Amino acid sequence: MDAFLAILIAVVTVTVLGILIGTALVAASNKYHVETDPREEKVRNNLPGNNCGACGFAGCDAVAAAIAAGKAPADACPICSQEALDKISEVMGVAAKEVIPMEAYVHCAGTCGHVSQKINYVGIQDCRAAVLSGISIWECDYGCVGLGTCVKECPYNAISVKDGVAIVNSKRCVGCGKCAAVCPKGLISLERKDKKVAVRCSNPNKGTAVKNVCSVGCLGCSICTKKCPTGAIYMNGNTPMINYSKCIGCGTCADVCPRGIINRFDN
Protein backbone atom coordinates (compact mmCIF):
# COMPACT_ATOMS: atom_id res chain seq x y z
CA MET A 1 0.00 0.00 0.00
CA ASP A 2 2.86 2.37 0.83
CA ALA A 3 4.51 1.58 -2.51
CA PHE A 4 1.26 2.26 -4.39
CA LEU A 5 0.81 5.56 -2.58
CA ALA A 6 4.39 6.59 -3.40
CA ILE A 7 3.83 5.81 -7.10
CA LEU A 8 0.54 7.70 -7.11
CA ILE A 9 2.15 10.75 -5.50
CA ALA A 10 4.97 10.64 -8.08
CA VAL A 11 2.53 10.42 -10.99
CA VAL A 12 0.42 13.28 -9.66
CA THR A 13 3.53 15.39 -9.02
CA VAL A 14 4.86 14.83 -12.53
CA THR A 15 1.44 15.57 -14.04
CA VAL A 16 1.05 18.80 -12.08
CA LEU A 17 4.61 19.88 -12.98
CA GLY A 18 3.89 19.13 -16.64
CA ILE A 19 0.73 21.23 -16.55
CA LEU A 20 2.56 24.10 -14.83
CA ILE A 21 5.50 24.01 -17.27
CA GLY A 22 3.15 23.78 -20.26
CA THR A 23 1.13 26.73 -18.98
CA ALA A 24 4.32 28.72 -18.45
CA LEU A 25 5.53 27.94 -21.99
CA VAL A 26 2.22 28.99 -23.52
CA ALA A 27 2.24 32.20 -21.52
CA ALA A 28 5.84 32.93 -22.56
CA SER A 29 5.02 32.15 -26.18
CA ASN A 30 2.09 34.55 -26.14
CA LYS A 31 4.11 37.28 -24.41
CA TYR A 32 7.15 37.10 -26.67
CA HIS A 33 5.39 36.15 -29.89
CA VAL A 34 6.67 38.08 -32.89
CA GLU A 35 4.16 38.74 -35.63
CA THR A 36 5.28 37.47 -39.02
CA ASP A 37 4.40 39.33 -42.17
CA PRO A 38 2.01 36.99 -44.04
CA ARG A 39 3.73 37.97 -47.27
CA GLU A 40 6.95 36.34 -46.07
CA GLU A 41 5.55 32.82 -46.38
CA LYS A 42 4.07 33.58 -49.80
CA VAL A 43 7.41 34.91 -51.02
CA ARG A 44 9.24 31.93 -49.54
CA ASN A 45 6.92 29.50 -51.32
CA ASN A 46 8.00 30.94 -54.66
CA LEU A 47 11.74 30.84 -54.05
CA PRO A 48 13.70 27.85 -55.43
CA GLY A 49 14.63 26.52 -51.98
CA ASN A 50 18.23 25.75 -52.88
CA ASN A 51 19.66 27.90 -50.08
CA CYS A 52 22.67 28.53 -52.32
CA GLY A 53 23.37 31.99 -50.86
CA ALA A 54 23.69 33.62 -54.28
CA CYS A 55 21.35 36.37 -53.08
CA GLY A 56 23.81 37.39 -50.38
CA PHE A 57 21.55 36.17 -47.56
CA ALA A 58 21.91 33.09 -45.37
CA GLY A 59 19.30 31.20 -47.37
CA CYS A 60 15.83 31.31 -48.88
CA ASP A 61 14.14 31.93 -45.51
CA ALA A 62 16.38 34.91 -44.85
CA VAL A 63 15.90 36.52 -48.24
CA ALA A 64 12.14 35.93 -48.09
CA ALA A 65 12.04 37.80 -44.79
CA ALA A 66 14.13 40.61 -46.28
CA ILE A 67 11.90 40.92 -49.35
CA ALA A 68 8.73 40.95 -47.22
CA ALA A 69 10.25 43.61 -44.96
CA GLY A 70 11.25 45.79 -47.90
CA LYS A 71 14.95 45.33 -47.15
CA ALA A 72 15.58 43.52 -50.42
CA PRO A 73 13.99 43.91 -53.88
CA ALA A 74 11.50 41.41 -55.24
CA ASP A 75 14.18 40.11 -57.62
CA ALA A 76 16.79 39.58 -54.89
CA CYS A 77 17.05 35.91 -55.84
CA PRO A 78 19.20 35.81 -59.00
CA ILE A 79 18.07 32.34 -60.05
CA CYS A 80 14.28 32.79 -59.84
CA SER A 81 12.27 31.87 -62.91
CA GLN A 82 10.09 34.46 -64.60
CA GLU A 83 6.99 32.75 -63.25
CA ALA A 84 8.32 32.81 -59.67
CA LEU A 85 9.39 36.45 -59.91
CA ASP A 86 5.98 37.41 -61.30
CA LYS A 87 4.30 35.83 -58.27
CA ILE A 88 6.72 37.41 -55.78
CA SER A 89 6.25 40.80 -57.40
CA GLU A 90 2.49 40.38 -57.20
CA VAL A 91 2.73 39.54 -53.49
CA MET A 92 4.84 42.65 -52.91
CA GLY A 93 2.67 44.85 -55.12
CA VAL A 94 5.46 45.88 -57.46
CA ALA A 95 5.95 45.60 -61.21
CA ALA A 96 7.71 42.41 -62.24
CA LYS A 97 11.03 42.76 -64.02
CA GLU A 98 12.08 40.66 -66.97
CA VAL A 99 14.21 37.69 -66.00
CA ILE A 100 17.24 37.29 -68.23
CA PRO A 101 18.72 33.81 -67.64
CA MET A 102 22.41 34.05 -66.92
CA GLU A 103 25.27 31.60 -66.75
CA ALA A 104 28.91 31.61 -65.76
CA TYR A 105 31.50 31.98 -68.51
CA VAL A 106 35.25 31.43 -68.15
CA HIS A 107 37.35 33.95 -70.07
CA CYS A 108 40.35 31.70 -70.61
CA ALA A 109 41.22 29.13 -73.27
CA GLY A 110 44.77 28.50 -72.09
CA THR A 111 44.61 24.76 -71.52
CA CYS A 112 47.69 22.64 -70.85
CA GLY A 113 48.39 22.25 -74.54
CA HIS A 114 48.49 26.01 -75.12
CA VAL A 115 50.22 27.37 -72.03
CA SER A 116 53.44 26.05 -70.48
CA GLN A 117 53.67 25.31 -66.79
CA LYS A 118 56.27 27.30 -64.85
CA ILE A 119 56.44 25.23 -61.70
CA ASN A 120 55.08 22.08 -60.12
CA TYR A 121 52.85 23.60 -57.48
CA VAL A 122 52.57 21.48 -54.29
CA GLY A 123 50.90 24.00 -51.98
CA ILE A 124 47.29 24.17 -50.79
CA GLN A 125 45.01 23.05 -53.61
CA ASP A 126 43.10 26.30 -53.74
CA CYS A 127 43.34 28.98 -56.44
CA ARG A 128 43.16 31.80 -53.90
CA ALA A 129 45.92 30.33 -51.77
CA ALA A 130 48.15 29.88 -54.82
CA VAL A 131 47.60 33.47 -55.95
CA LEU A 132 48.18 34.84 -52.44
CA SER A 133 51.46 32.93 -52.27
CA GLY A 134 52.74 35.04 -55.15
CA ILE A 135 53.61 31.92 -57.13
CA SER A 136 52.66 31.82 -60.80
CA ILE A 137 52.00 28.24 -61.87
CA TRP A 138 51.54 28.97 -65.56
CA GLU A 139 53.45 31.12 -68.03
CA CYS A 140 50.38 33.31 -68.52
CA ASP A 141 49.82 35.34 -65.37
CA TYR A 142 46.24 36.13 -66.38
CA GLY A 143 44.95 32.64 -67.07
CA CYS A 144 43.00 30.10 -65.05
CA VAL A 145 44.93 28.76 -62.06
CA GLY A 146 43.16 25.44 -62.48
CA LEU A 147 43.03 24.24 -58.87
CA GLY A 148 39.26 24.07 -58.80
CA THR A 149 38.20 26.54 -56.12
CA CYS A 150 35.22 27.41 -58.31
CA VAL A 151 34.36 23.73 -58.60
CA LYS A 152 34.18 23.35 -54.82
CA GLU A 153 32.10 26.51 -54.48
CA CYS A 154 29.44 25.64 -57.08
CA PRO A 155 26.32 24.23 -55.38
CA TYR A 156 24.99 22.87 -58.67
CA ASN A 157 27.96 20.81 -59.86
CA ALA A 158 27.97 22.95 -62.98
CA ILE A 159 31.69 23.66 -63.30
CA SER A 160 34.75 21.46 -63.64
CA VAL A 161 38.42 21.74 -64.53
CA LYS A 162 39.67 20.13 -67.72
CA ASP A 163 43.26 20.37 -68.95
CA GLY A 164 43.99 23.08 -66.40
CA VAL A 165 41.07 25.39 -67.21
CA ALA A 166 37.62 25.66 -65.66
CA ILE A 167 34.69 24.89 -67.97
CA VAL A 168 30.98 25.47 -67.35
CA ASN A 169 28.16 23.03 -68.00
CA SER A 170 25.52 25.37 -69.38
CA LYS A 171 22.70 22.91 -68.74
CA ARG A 172 23.43 22.81 -65.02
CA CYS A 173 24.51 26.41 -64.43
CA VAL A 174 21.79 28.64 -62.97
CA GLY A 175 23.86 31.83 -62.90
CA CYS A 176 24.20 32.12 -59.14
CA GLY A 177 27.64 33.71 -59.54
CA LYS A 178 29.32 31.93 -56.64
CA CYS A 179 32.14 30.67 -58.86
CA ALA A 180 32.77 34.19 -60.15
CA ALA A 181 32.94 35.52 -56.61
CA VAL A 182 35.76 33.17 -55.58
CA CYS A 183 37.90 33.28 -58.73
CA PRO A 184 41.05 35.18 -57.67
CA LYS A 185 41.86 36.11 -61.28
CA GLY A 186 38.40 37.48 -62.04
CA LEU A 187 38.17 35.19 -65.06
CA ILE A 188 34.57 34.14 -64.54
CA SER A 189 31.70 36.46 -65.35
CA LEU A 190 27.95 36.05 -65.62
CA GLU A 191 26.76 36.31 -69.20
CA ARG A 192 23.37 35.93 -70.85
CA LYS A 193 22.46 32.32 -71.64
CA ASP A 194 21.21 33.45 -75.05
CA LYS A 195 24.54 35.03 -76.02
CA LYS A 196 25.75 34.22 -79.52
CA VAL A 197 29.45 34.97 -79.05
CA ALA A 198 31.90 35.49 -76.18
CA VAL A 199 35.60 36.27 -75.85
CA ARG A 200 37.56 33.53 -74.13
CA CYS A 201 40.64 35.47 -73.04
CA SER A 202 41.48 38.03 -70.37
CA ASN A 203 45.13 38.76 -71.05
CA PRO A 204 45.46 42.58 -71.15
CA ASN A 205 48.70 42.48 -73.10
CA LYS A 206 49.14 42.61 -76.87
CA GLY A 207 50.90 40.83 -79.71
CA THR A 208 54.25 39.21 -78.90
CA ALA A 209 53.72 39.52 -75.15
CA VAL A 210 50.69 37.24 -75.49
CA LYS A 211 52.27 34.91 -78.05
CA ASN A 212 55.17 34.25 -75.71
CA VAL A 213 52.92 32.83 -73.00
CA CYS A 214 49.87 31.37 -74.79
CA SER A 215 49.36 29.97 -78.26
CA VAL A 216 45.66 30.90 -78.32
CA GLY A 217 45.57 34.17 -76.38
CA CYS A 218 43.96 37.30 -77.84
CA LEU A 219 46.52 39.45 -79.67
CA GLY A 220 44.58 42.67 -79.21
CA CYS A 221 44.62 43.21 -82.98
CA SER A 222 41.07 44.67 -82.85
CA ILE A 223 40.14 43.22 -86.23
CA CYS A 224 36.92 41.92 -84.65
CA THR A 225 35.87 45.44 -83.72
CA LYS A 226 36.57 46.70 -87.24
CA LYS A 227 34.60 43.93 -88.93
CA CYS A 228 31.56 43.90 -86.62
CA PRO A 229 28.65 45.31 -88.67
CA THR A 230 26.78 46.66 -85.64
CA GLY A 231 29.64 48.01 -83.52
CA ALA A 232 28.85 45.45 -80.82
CA ILE A 233 32.52 44.84 -80.01
CA TYR A 234 34.81 47.42 -78.48
CA MET A 235 38.31 47.32 -77.04
CA ASN A 236 38.90 47.62 -73.31
CA GLY A 237 42.60 48.26 -73.47
CA ASN A 238 43.82 45.34 -75.56
CA THR A 239 40.90 43.06 -74.72
CA PRO A 240 37.74 42.95 -76.86
CA MET A 241 34.42 43.26 -75.03
CA ILE A 242 30.93 42.57 -76.35
CA ASN A 243 27.90 44.79 -75.99
CA TYR A 244 25.12 42.23 -76.17
CA SER A 245 22.46 44.86 -76.65
CA LYS A 246 24.00 45.54 -80.08
CA CYS A 247 25.09 42.01 -80.98
CA ILE A 248 22.95 40.35 -83.66
CA GLY A 249 24.77 37.03 -83.49
CA CYS A 250 26.10 37.14 -87.03
CA GLY A 251 29.37 35.52 -85.95
CA THR A 252 31.57 37.78 -88.07
CA CYS A 253 33.86 38.45 -85.12
CA ALA A 254 34.41 34.74 -84.56
CA ASP A 255 35.09 34.20 -88.26
CA VAL A 256 37.77 36.88 -88.52
CA CYS A 257 39.55 36.27 -85.19
CA PRO A 258 43.05 35.04 -86.14
CA ARG A 259 43.40 33.12 -82.86
CA GLY A 260 39.92 31.62 -82.79
CA ILE A 261 39.45 33.05 -79.33
CA ILE A 262 35.87 34.25 -79.86
CA ASN A 263 33.42 31.44 -79.14
CA ARG A 264 30.25 31.07 -81.17
CA PHE A 265 27.09 29.64 -79.57
CA ASP A 266 24.06 28.14 -81.29
CA ASN A 267 21.31 29.12 -78.83
Side-chain angles (χ1 to χ4, degrees), residues 1 8 26 29 34 67 95 111 119 129 132 139 146-147 165 178 199 226 228 234:
M1 189 66 177
L8 181 61
V26 170
S29 176
V34 178
I67 292 173
T111 56
I119 64 165
L132 287 172
E139 289 292 340
L147 296 179
V165 173
K178 298 195 78 173
V199 181
K226 298 171 184 175
C228 178
Y234 61 96

Side-chain angles (χ1 to χ4, degrees), residues 55-177:
C55 58
F57 291 86
C60 292
D61 287 343
V63 73
I67 292 173
K71 296 179 180 179
D75 61 344
C77 173
I79 65 172
C80 264
S81 65
Q82 185 69 63
E83 181 183 4
L85 181 56
D86 289 345
K87 290 179 179 179
I88 293 172
S89 299
E90 183 179 355
V91 169
M92 297 305 299
V94 297
K97 295 182 179 179
E98 179 187 1
V99 173
I100 300 176
M102 306 292 281
E103 66 182 359
Y105 182 79
V106 182
H107 297 272
C108 178
T111 56
C112 298
H114 298 296
V115 180
S116 298
Q117 190 170 348
K118 275 186 180 180
I119 64 165
N120 182 26
Y121 178 75
V122 294
I124 299 173
Q125 296 298 295
D126 180 88
C127 300
R128 295 165 297 185
V131 170
L132 287 172
S133 72
I135 297 173
S136 182
I137 302 174
W138 305 95
E139 289 292 340
C140 179
D141 293 328
Y142 304 97
C144 180
V145 180
L147 296 179
T149 299
C150 54
V151 177
K152 301 167 190 171
E153 190 69 16
C154 178
Y156 303 97
N157 194 29
I159 193 165
S160 58
V161 173
K162 184 177 180 180
D163 294 332
V165 173
I167 56 174
V168 177
N169 184 328
S170 180
K171 293 181 179 179
R172 291 182 177 178
C173 182
V174 299
C176 71

Side-chain angles (χ1 to χ4, degrees), residues 1-9:
M1 189 66 177
D2 290 341
F4 176 76
L5 183 60
I7 293 173
L8 181 61
I9 292 172

